[in-house]
Amino acid sequence: HVQLVESGGGSVQAGGSLRLSCEASGLTMKTYCMGWFRQAPGKERERVATIAKEIIRWGGTWYADSVKGRFTISRDNDKNALYLQMNTLNSEDTSMYYCAAAPALYCPNIPNEYVYWGQGTQVTVS
């Protein structure tokens, strides 16, 4: 049984930082592309950042333009954990953040190609 469990969300003032974590069980994270997505009420789920299962070979990291330079995605395959360091947060970052896994060499662009999802962690920036 695969589980992805996010943590680290919360309320923060604009300009502040948060670090999201995603712990995986039931899968070997190093064999998956991992990603962070977010979805605000009334909006479509959007890809925030992804990290290939083998950074050097399969393309490394990707970031949405809206978060480039502010967010950093990383993974610890030994701990089966994924992280998202979020700095200089603004109100537009307010959303539910989801961790997701895709069994792909190149990280997919669309959410439907990610097969495992966490329950999400809420980030609110005021």
Side-chain angles (χ1 to χ4, degrees):
H1 176 62
V2 175
Q3 270 195 311
L4 301 178
V5 180
E6 302 96 335
S7 62
S11 296
V12 64
Q13 290 188 337
S17 298
L18 285 172
R19 187 184 191 225
L20 305 184
S21 298
C22 171
E23 294 189 7
S25 59
L27 63 74
T28 303
M29 187 180 282
K30 66 180 180 181
T31 65
Y32 287 80
C33 158
M34 299 298 298
W36 287 99
F37 291 76
R38 65 187 181 188
Q39 187 169 20
K43 294 187 176 182
E44 292 187 355
R45 189 167 295 190
E46 65 168 333
R47 185 168 58 136
V48 175
T50 56
I51 184 166
K53 61 179 183 178
E54 293 185 40
I55 294 176
I56 296 177
R57 185 178 299 184
W58 306 119
T61 57
W62 178 94
Y63 297 93
D65 287 343
S66 59
V67 307
K68 276 182 184 176
R70 301 188 298 122
F71 289 13
T72 302
I73 188 171
S74 61
R75 63 194 297 162
D76 186 332
N77 288 333
D78 291 337
K79 295 182 178 179
N80 240 22
L82 179 73
Y83 307 100
L84 186 68
Q85 177 67 42
M86 305 186 297
N87 298 327
T88 320
L89 287 160
N90 59 60
S91 59
E92 294 184 351
D93 296 317
T94 294
S95 192
M96 185 72 79
Y97 284 73
Y98 298 91
C99 165
L105 296 178
Y106 296 96
C107 286
N109 297 329
I110 59 175
N112 284 351
E113 296 190 23
Y114 289 77
V115 297
Y116 299 115
W117 291 85
Q119 293 299 307
T121 185
Q122 177 68 37
V123 171
T124 303
V125 184
S126 59

